[in-house]
Amino acid sequence: MNKKIQSALISVFYKEGLEDIVRLLHSLDIQIYSTGGTQQFIEKLDVPCVPVESLTSYPSILGGRVKTLHPSVFGGILGRRDNETDLMEMKQFKIPEIDLVIVDLYPFEETVASTKEEKLIIEKIDIGGPSMIRAAAKNFKDLVVVASKSEYSLLGQMLKEQDGATTIEQRRRFAAKAFQVVAHYDIAIYNYFHPENEWKVLNEAPQHTLRYGENPHQKGLFYGDWNKIFNQLHGKEISYNNLVDIDAAIQLIREFKTTSFAIIKHTNVCGIASRPSVADAWRDALAGDPESAFGGVLICNAAIDKATADAISEIFFEVLIAPSFEQDALKILQSKKNRILLQLAPNAPVAKSMYKSVLNGTLMQDIDEGNFEKWEETGGRNSSAQEKEDLIFANLVCKHLKSNAIALVKNKQLVGKGCGQTSRVDSLRQAIQKAKQFNFKLKDAVLASDAFFPFNDCVEIAHGEGIGAFVQPGGSIRDKDSIEYCKQHNLAMVITGMRHFKH
């Protein structure tokens, strides 16, 4: 059923875009009620406005904490227009009907992000706003609620086209959006008080509709704001699979502090190296597996220069991510229209939790932070200084490979990797085969394993190829088998106490 709007209550923190709505409401002879800063804003537009205080007979009190929390306001919002008792009581207490509620919320999340001062943060917990939004959304049969400035254009178009009237379907859609806004707000407040147990509103409105999901026959949506993480400088629309690999790439590169370049394919690292220059890091990352790099996602933790851009442009890739690009480099890289170029945002937020849909629910876990809990040299000798650097590097890389995972590293370059195999020894064989395919000599290389060695076969096979140092979390009832082999053959074996499964 269509409802003609006769009156509106407006109380917002953000005034952007509000002027057009206020003038439109005035042109439609809609009575406007307001309070505080919003009232002042409206009056400066020379638009008549009734102060909420004239309804409540109370001024704004307690430093603005109490303004609209009054039966004269909530009665006008919650009163059922088809209920004779409600109408009689509204008439008895001189409560006006309110047909449109435009209310947004104090910037709680923005305040948390900008200050550590709890007094300021607590004052940005909105009370009246969520209450009015929920009340108006509950009574969507009789009024329309707008809980976000992102809805102003839709409201304006609707009022113009329908001469100030709304349909039940429209009011219901606005109500659904309003409940989503309040749910997100409440979760943000909960997360502030319980940072160790962060929640998310998993069904909040998606901000990006993707071309499709993992495959063309699957629907794909992204829930979140990727503009907080990166700025797209060039290229085609980002796909579902791009996003999965972009996430894997960013998680990986955050582990490395020195200049490093990495190549990701289907979330696995297929090449990575740390070097003094970006160009050298790119060259050695690519050398690790130039075959798998085709169509991959590339990431660097330093600025992309012209020399590196020239070298990168020799292969086909989907995405390149970096903190910055020199202008000459950008010009070279933009020569292909579909290449996705992403500039990482400085101080981009880092998720503390990860989620996965399983069965009829959702799994949540902390992200896998850290590299090792201890550094226990248990082999026939201690690792050398060079081996230790490579073992630390290899263990970080291995952490970002799908289990069962083996990483072979030499001079801070991934020279072989095995991942996603159903047995650890198969992953090792895959890693050795990859290294040999691209002519790497494994003498003096090191090996990292994401989980313990259940037998000594992996150590024995790797030793046969010239590998002399190993790092693994330990924890097997047969740890001693691998340790004893290392002792007998003068090999280094480090136990970290931290497993890095990735499924």
Side-chain angles (χ1 to χ4, degrees):
M1 183 175 67
N2 283 13
K3 291 271 188 177
K4 183 83 170 180
I5 296 174
Q6 304 289 338
S7 62
L9 171 61
I10 308 176
S11 179
V12 297
F13 185 89
Y14 296 104
K15 310 301 189 295
E16 297 89 345
L18 184 63
E19 179 177 349
D20 290 343
I21 294 296
V22 169
R23 294 194 185 280
L24 176 58
L25 295 176
H26 180 54
S27 71
L28 293 168
D29 293 325
I30 294 172
Q31 176 69 68
I32 299 175
Y33 297 92
S34 192
T35 185
T38 308
Q39 177 188 338
Q40 295 172 15
F41 176 86
I42 295 170
E43 290 173 343
K44 286 180 181 178
L45 299 176
D46 292 326
V47 172
C49 176
V50 177
V52 167
E53 290 82 356
S54 69
L55 300 180
T56 65
S57 300
Y58 276 93
S60 173
I61 61 173
L62 305 182
R65 282 189 164 197
V66 180
K67 291 182 285 191
T68 56
L69 294 168
H70 193 279
S72 292
V73 175
F74 281 84
I77 295 173
L78 286 166
R80 292 163 289 189
R81 316 302 155 81
D82 59 355
N83 185 295
E84 291 186 7
T85 302
D86 285 7
L87 294 174
M88 181 182 67
E89 290 178 348
M90 291 172 72
K91 183 177 180 180
Q92 178 185 354
F93 295 106
K94 299 179 181 179
I95 299 173
E97 295 180 5
I98 296 173
D99 307 312
L100 168 64
V101 171
I102 301 177
V103 173
D104 65 10
L105 302 173
Y106 292 165
F108 179 81
E109 289 178 281
E110 293 85 343
T111 305
V112 170
S114 64
T115 183
K116 299 295 184 184
E117 190 174 342
E118 184 159 270
K119 182 179 179 181
L120 294 177
I121 292 170
I122 296 302
E123 286 306 312
K124 287 300 183 286
I125 298 178
D126 206 330
I127 303 300
S131 300
M132 287 190 288
I133 289 170
R134 289 175 61 86
K138 177 178 180 178
N139 203 22
F140 71 91
K141 286 178 63 178
D142 293 311
L143 70 158
V144 61
V145 56
V146 176
S148 169
K149 61 183 179 181
S150 65
E151 304 287 292
Y152 287 175
S153 60
L154 179 60
L155 174 68
Q157 179 185 354
M158 182 178 71
L159 296 181
K160 287 176 185 176
E161 293 177 354
Q162 297 165 197
D163 193 29
T166 62
T167 67
I168 183 66
E169 293 81 10
Q170 291 167 337
R171 295 193 297 275
R172 188 182 188 93
R173 285 198 297 271
F174 275 103
K177 171 65 177 178
F179 281 122
Q180 181 267 315
V181 167
V182 174
H184 179 94
Y185 194 76
D186 287 342
I187 292 297
I189 296 169
Y190 172 86
N191 288 340
Y192 171 73
F193 284 99
H194 296 275
E196 73 286 351
N197 188 26
E198 187 178 85
W199 285 9
K200 284 185 181 292
V201 182
L202 295 180
N203 62 340
E204 64 183 274
Q207 291 186 287
H208 299 275
T209 300
L210 307 174
R211 296 196 303 275
Y212 50 81
E214 200 162 9
N215 298 292
H217 62 279
Q218 294 172 273
K219 182 179 178 180
L221 301 169
F222 177 76
Y223 294 82
D225 184 4
W226 67 46
N227 294 311
K228 293 181 179 179
I229 308 297
F230 56 73
N231 177 31
Q232 183 169 357
L233 303 178
H234 182 74
K236 63 184 179 180
E237 183 181 344
I238 297 172
S239 72
Y240 180 101
N241 291 330
N242 289 155
L243 285 170
V244 173
D245 281 343
I246 288 167
D247 176 64
I250 292 173
Q251 287 187 46
L252 169 69
I253 208 67
R254 280 176 173 154
E255 305 273 16
F256 298 89
K257 306 308 177 187
T258 58
T259 300
S260 302
F261 217 119
I263 304 166
I264 302 294
K265 197 73 173 290
H266 301 302
T267 74
N268 285 302
V269 196
C270 60
I272 184 170
S274 292
R275 293 292 181 264
S277 74
V278 174
D280 287 346
W282 161 250
R283 181 196 65 213
D284 289 347
L286 178 64
D289 189 347
E291 188 174 73
S292 296
F294 182 85
V297 169
L298 320 180
I299 189 163
C300 184
N301 59 5
I304 303 298
D305 55 28
K306 182 179 182 297
T308 308
D310 279 327
I312 292 172
S313 292
E314 294 177 3
I315 74 162
F316 167 72
F317 64 89
E318 283 276 329
V319 183
L320 172 59
I321 312 164
S324 61
F325 296 80
E326 293 182 2
Q327 283 304 308
D328 288 346
L330 202 55
K331 186 175 180 180
I332 293 166
L333 294 166
Q334 289 175 331
S335 62
K336 300 288 186 181
K337 67 176 183 178
N338 286 333
R339 283 176 177 166
I340 298 172
L341 305 178
L342 305 179
Q343 182 171 349
L344 280 173
N347 303 314
V350 179
K352 293 181 173 59
S353 305
M354 51 197 304
Y355 301 81
K356 186 174 184 178
S357 296
V358 295
L359 302 175
N360 62 342
T362 302
L363 284 173
M364 187 280 284
Q365 66 174 348
D366 297 336
I367 62 168
D368 183 5
E369 290 188 285
N371 194 2
F372 47 84
E373 289 182 353
K374 61 182 179 178
W375 189 267
E376 185 179 351
E377 300 271 5
T378 62
R381 60 177 176 82
N382 286 349
S383 54
S384 68
Q386 179 62 55
E387 284 175 332
K388 185 172 183 178
E389 286 188 8
D390 280 348
L391 287 168
I392 292 170
F393 184 97
N395 208 48
L396 286 174
V397 173
C398 197
K399 171 181 170 180
H400 293 272
L401 292 168
K402 290 291 183 70
S403 300
N404 288 305
I406 296 288
L408 306 181
V409 165
K410 191 173 182 179
N411 298 324
K412 294 185 180 178
Q413 177 188 20
L414 181 65
V415 297
K417 48 86 180 57
C419 49
Q421 301 302 304
T422 51
S423 75
R424 192 155 302 281
V425 72
D426 279 346
S427 289
L428 173 59
R429 292 188 183 110
Q430 182 188 61
I432 293 169
Q433 185 274 327
K434 274 290 184 182
K436 291 181 175 180
Q437 180 182 352
F438 300 112
N439 302 313
F440 286 104
K441 305 300 182 185
L442 291 177
K443 185 177 185 306
D444 299 325
V446 306
L447 179 154
S449 174
D450 66 332
F452 61 65
F453 297 121
F455 308 102
N456 67 2
D457 50 359
C458 284
V459 176
E460 185 174 354
I461 292 169
H463 177 219
E465 299 293 337
I467 295 168
F470 302 82
V471 60
Q472 53 125 337
S476 169
I477 59 173
R478 299 185 62 171
D479 275 348
K480 60 179 175 43
D481 293 0
S482 297
I483 292 171
E484 282 302 316
Y485 185 93
C486 288
K487 287 181 176 179
Q488 291 169 13
H489 295 86
N490 198 35
L491 307 175
M493 167 74 75
V494 174
I495 302 294
T496 67
M498 181 178 283
R499 191 180 72 185
H500 292 297
F501 270 166
K502 184 180 180 186
H503 295 103

